[in-house]
Amino acid sequence: MSIKIILTGSSGYIASCFNLLYQNKYSIYCLDKTKPKFFNKIKRKKFIKCNLLDQKKLRKIFKKIKPDLVIHLAAQSTVNEKIKWVDYYENNVKATKNILDVMRIFKIKKLIFSSTASVYKEKNTKISENDKLKPNSKYGKSKLMAENFIKKYRDINFIILRFFNVCSAIRK
């Protein structure tokens, strides 16, 4: 039996790369509020249009799929201080909380979460995992808030990945 994965933010770059690499190894269900734009070769039979702020729809999806793992890559990721705080909060914090609440309802215990190196205090030397956390952008602040929510859900095993400057050698 294949591992069933719900992949949020599936229309984004990181999720598209993940799906392209693992679509034949795992049963991946792609969730996003927008249609996929990267890598047309990806099998999109398992694409589900869903806004993560719609917890009722999330519950229906989780009930039907019964995933083993959630890879939560969805976010308002554009770093632009002109974007309203509420947009970062809803897309990064509230959406994460909705995912966590639904995971708890269906007793899903595994989460991989995409965060950002923007949660660290700015400095001119190498960043270490143990460096001080002090984001200076709305984006970084919202991702740190989401991380803190995840840590409060003690019944969920999680990995938090703090990305920056994501790129790959994958081609269309």
Side-chain angles (χ1 to χ4, degrees):
M1 183 173 154
S2 181
I3 294 173
K4 290 188 268 181
I5 299 171
I6 285 185
L7 180 65
T8 70
S10 64
S11 295
Y13 186 73
I14 297 172
S16 293
C17 290
F18 179 88
N19 195 23
L20 185 65
L21 292 170
Y22 294 106
Q23 65 185 341
N24 294 323
K25 186 171 181 172
Y26 303 108
S27 187
I28 302 172
Y29 296 85
C30 299
L31 272 62
D32 206 308
K33 64 183 176 183
T34 59
K35 289 188 175 187
K37 45 193 162 198
F38 294 109
F39 308 120
N40 292 329
K41 295 176 184 175
I42 295 173
K43 294 176 186 173
R44 294 296 179 178
K45 294 176 189 169
K46 295 179 182 174
F47 175 76
I48 303 164
K49 190 170 183 178
C50 178
N51 187 326
L52 300 179
L53 298 175
D54 184 349
Q55 196 182 89
K56 185 177 179 182
K57 186 168 184 178
L58 271 177
R59 284 193 304 268
K60 286 180 184 178
I61 292 167
F62 276 63
K63 184 176 182 178
K64 182 178 180 181
I65 295 171
K66 298 179 179 98
D68 302 295
L69 165 68
V70 174
I71 301 177
H72 181 33
L73 305 177
Q76 172 68 48
S77 61
T78 305
V79 180
N80 181 342
E81 292 306 303
K82 291 180 182 177
I83 295 174
K84 294 177 186 171
W85 167 249
V86 70
D87 293 334
Y88 285 107
Y89 181 82
E90 286 186 351
N91 288 301
N92 298 345
V93 182
K94 190 173 179 186
T96 300
K97 187 172 181 332
N98 282 350
I99 290 282
L100 293 165
D101 288 343
V102 173
M103 286 178 69
R104 184 174 270 169
I105 290 167
F106 293 100
K107 297 178 177 32
I108 299 156
K109 304 288 184 192
K110 297 176 184 173
L111 172 71
I112 298 173
F113 178 70
S114 171
S115 190
T116 175
S118 295
V119 299
Y120 293 108
K121 182 179 179 182
E122 196 172 313
K123 66 181 200 172
N124 293 326
T125 57
K126 279 201 268 182
I127 295 173
S128 158
E129 189 174 346
N130 297 320
D131 281 349
K132 184 175 180 160
L133 301 176
K134 189 176 180 188
N136 65 0
S137 67
K138 294 174 192 174
Y139 170 62
K141 289 174 186 171
S142 68
K143 293 301 269 187
L144 185 57
M145 287 177 73
E147 285 186 24
N148 289 332
F149 266 121
I150 292 167
K151 292 173 185 175
K152 289 179 183 177
Y153 284 71
R154 303 233 182 253
D155 54 334
I156 295 175
N157 299 314
F158 61 86
I159 295 171
I160 296 173
L161 304 172
R162 292 181 177 152
F163 293 108
F164 59 98
N165 298 332
V166 176
C167 65
S168 77
I170 297 173
R171 297 177 185 219
K172 291 182 185 181

